């Protein structure tokens, strides 16, 4: 098991169409959570490990998976809600491919305290986590306010038109060969 496989199983078991994890599992979209053991789920895994000795949650397989996804991608984009570990984990995967092509950070972190959450996109560019040719954006706002507004005016505004516009778009470098053969 890995954290992302565990989360996928949770999504399938939830069987609730109002759940983000349900839709991610249903559409085979991996959800990575490097800090899965931090909190109640970690407590349950701790107790379970006594009931079923030998249960392993392999975080190394997940880091390979997220980094490989980034490296194999034709282009990547990051929408990071909040900061800290999740922001660092996502940005680091893009470091492996010389930076993300698109980036939006939504958080209330400030630069002056030196936290990763408050770091500007310029800091990520300096590390190679965002490409120098990208036009990253940082939205200083609570993500629960900003993200639904952004989704409603972008992704969800005209889904059918968007589907038509991205038809035949390559997601992974391997897809470029397939597209060339069908053209």
């Amino acid at each position: 098991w890995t954290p992302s496989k565990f989360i996928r199983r949770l999504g399938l078991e939830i069987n609730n169409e109002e759940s983000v994890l349900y839709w991610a599992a249903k559409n085979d979209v991996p959800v990575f959570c490097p800090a899965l053991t931090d909190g109640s789920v970690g407590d349950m895994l701790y107790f379970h490990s006594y009931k079923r000795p030998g249960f392993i949650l392999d975080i190394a397989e997940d880091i390979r998976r997220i980094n490989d996804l980034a490296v194999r991608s034709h282009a990547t984009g990051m929408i990071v809600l909040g900061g800290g570990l999740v922001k660092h984990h996502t940005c680091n995967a893009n470091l492996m491919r010389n930076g993300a092509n698109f980036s939006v950070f939504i958080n209330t972190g400030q630069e002056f305290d030196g936290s990763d959450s408050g770091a500007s996109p310029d800091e990520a560019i300096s590390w190679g986590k965002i490409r120098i040719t990208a036009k990253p954006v940082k939205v200083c706002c609570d993500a629960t306010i900003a993200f639904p507004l952004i989704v409603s005016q972008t992704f969800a505004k005209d889904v059918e038109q968007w589907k038509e516009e991205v038809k035949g778009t390559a997601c992974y470098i391997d897809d470029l060969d397939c597209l060339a053969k069908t053209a």
Side-chain angles (χ1 to χ4, degrees), residues 10-26:
L10 287 176
L12 293 173
E13 295 294 331
I14 287 169
N15 196 23
N16 179 340
E17 291 187 2
E18 294 179 16
S19 166
V20 171
L21 296 182
Y22 168 84
W23 287 108
K26 198 115 167 109

Side-chain angles (χ1 to χ4, degrees), residues 1-2 12 23 26 52-53 67 69-70 90 109 116 124 131 146 152 157 159 165:
W1 287 88
T2 67
L12 293 173
W23 287 108
K26 198 115 167 109
R52 302 245 196 277
N67 288 355
L69 280 170
T90 306
D116 186 47
R131 293 195 174 195
S152 73
K157 194 165 189 167
V159 173
E165 289 173 0

Side-chain angles (χ1 to χ4, degrees), residues 81 106 141-156:
L81 310 178
I106 304 172
C141 184
D142 186 287
T144 62
I145 295 169
F147 189 60
L149 293 172
I150 290 169
V151 169
S152 73
Q153 296 304 304
T154 55
F155 308 110

Side-chain angles (χ1 to χ4, degrees), residues 105-152:
F105 296 159
I106 304 172
N107 63 57
T108 56
Q110 301 298 312
E111 283 186 71
F112 70 86
D113 66 4
S115 68
D116 186 47
S117 299
S120 72
D122 289 343
E123 185 269 343
I125 290 170
S126 75
W127 279 87
K129 297 174 181 180
I130 299 174
R131 293 195 174 195
I132 200 160
T133 56
K135 295 180 181 167
V137 174
K138 178 173 179 182
V139 179
C140 295
C141 184
D142 186 287
T144 62
I145 295 169
F147 189 60
L149 293 172
I150 290 169
V151 169
S152 73

Side-chain angles (χ1 to χ4, degrees), residues 74-126:
H74 177 62
T76 63
M78 301 183 290
I79 299 175
V80 181
L81 310 178
L85 179 68
V86 174
K87 180 181 175 193
H88 183 73
H89 195 64
T90 306
C91 289
N92 236 41
N94 281 282
L95 173 67
M96 302 302 154
R97 65 174 307 278
N98 298 318
N101 302 82
F102 309 95
S103 179
V104 178
F105 296 159
I106 304 172
N107 63 57
T108 56
Q110 301 298 312
E111 283 186 71
F112 70 86
D113 66 4
S115 68
D116 186 47
S117 299
S120 72
D122 289 343
E123 185 269 343
I125 290 170
S126 75

